[in-house]
Amino acid sequence: MSTNRSLLDELRSFDKDGFFDLGHPLLNRMFESFVKAAGIGAVQAVAREAYLTAVEGAGVDSNGMPQEIPGRKRRLTGLKGETCAKSLEAMVRNTGKESMQWGLAAGMYSGLTYGLREARGAHDWKNSAVAGAVTGAALALTSEGASHEQIVQCAITGAALSTAANVLAGIF
């Protein structure tokens, strides 16, 4: 007997079963978080570049200032190639880099929170703070020329954001 499942039924099953089965809940969680965040990172990078291209086409800086004002800094460098192919290649390269950063951060954070929950037997703000701090520091290390101060700032920011998200999730 065959069952006819709708697309909505298939999507609902992902919430229960997950997208992937790699044999261990930790690996499943990390990989699923990586894939979802990498997709979000890619969409964000392409949307930002589309916005910057549209703003440039209108002759206005992204801050609302005319383009003649010096000091404007493009976020995705190398997109003004001599040919359209070079610009597209640079956009794909930068989008891939950014999506990898998003994916690695999400996978790392998800894996750390899962591992800490299993090790400590509790899921609380402390797990979120540690996972956020480690993830923030690791993310800072992926940037070029990361200084000690930047790494510490990113660790503190990651801990604060993830702790706040954990506390607010308990309230709402």
Side-chain angles (χ1 to χ4, degrees):
M1 178 176 179
S2 66
T3 59
N4 293 330
R5 293 179 62 174
S6 70
L7 178 62
L8 190 57
D9 292 333
E10 290 292 329
L11 291 174
R12 284 185 186 140
S13 72
F14 287 138
D15 290 338
K16 298 173 195 159
D17 302 331
F19 289 113
F20 308 100
D21 185 12
L22 301 176
H24 193 278
L26 174 64
L27 295 176
N28 294 344
R29 183 175 180 149
M30 289 175 66
F31 192 68
E32 188 171 327
S33 295
F34 175 88
V35 169
K36 288 177 181 179
I40 291 168
V43 168
Q44 187 265 345
V46 169
R48 181 182 59 236
E49 182 54 33
Y51 168 76
L52 290 173
T53 302
V55 167
E56 278 181 2
V60 177
D61 191 356
S62 60
N63 297 327
M65 303 298 286
Q67 285 185 350
E68 294 81 35
I69 297 196
R72 179 170 183 271
K73 189 174 185 181
R74 290 182 59 89
R75 291 190 184 220
L76 295 177
T77 58
L79 291 179
K80 289 197 170 200
E82 294 92 34
T83 66
C84 201
K86 285 186 179 181
S87 293
L88 181 61
E89 180 184 331
M91 186 179 80
V92 169
R93 189 178 328 106
N94 288 323
T95 300
K97 179 183 175 187
E98 191 159 328
S99 66
M100 283 294 288
Q101 286 176 323
W102 280 63
L104 288 172
M108 176 182 274
Y109 178 79
S110 182
L112 285 168
T113 55
Y114 179 86
L116 288 168
R117 182 182 72 213
E118 293 297 311
R120 293 184 62 237
H123 179 67
D124 57 7
W125 67 270
K126 296 172 190 173
N127 293 354
S128 295
V130 170
V134 171
T135 303
L139 197 57
L141 290 171
T142 65
S143 65
E144 295 178 21
S147 68
H148 179 268
E149 291 81 18
Q150 289 172 323
I151 295 169
V152 171
Q153 286 176 347
C154 287
I156 291 170
T157 302
L161 286 173
S162 61
T163 302
N166 184 281
V167 170
L168 291 175
I171 293 172
F172 299 106

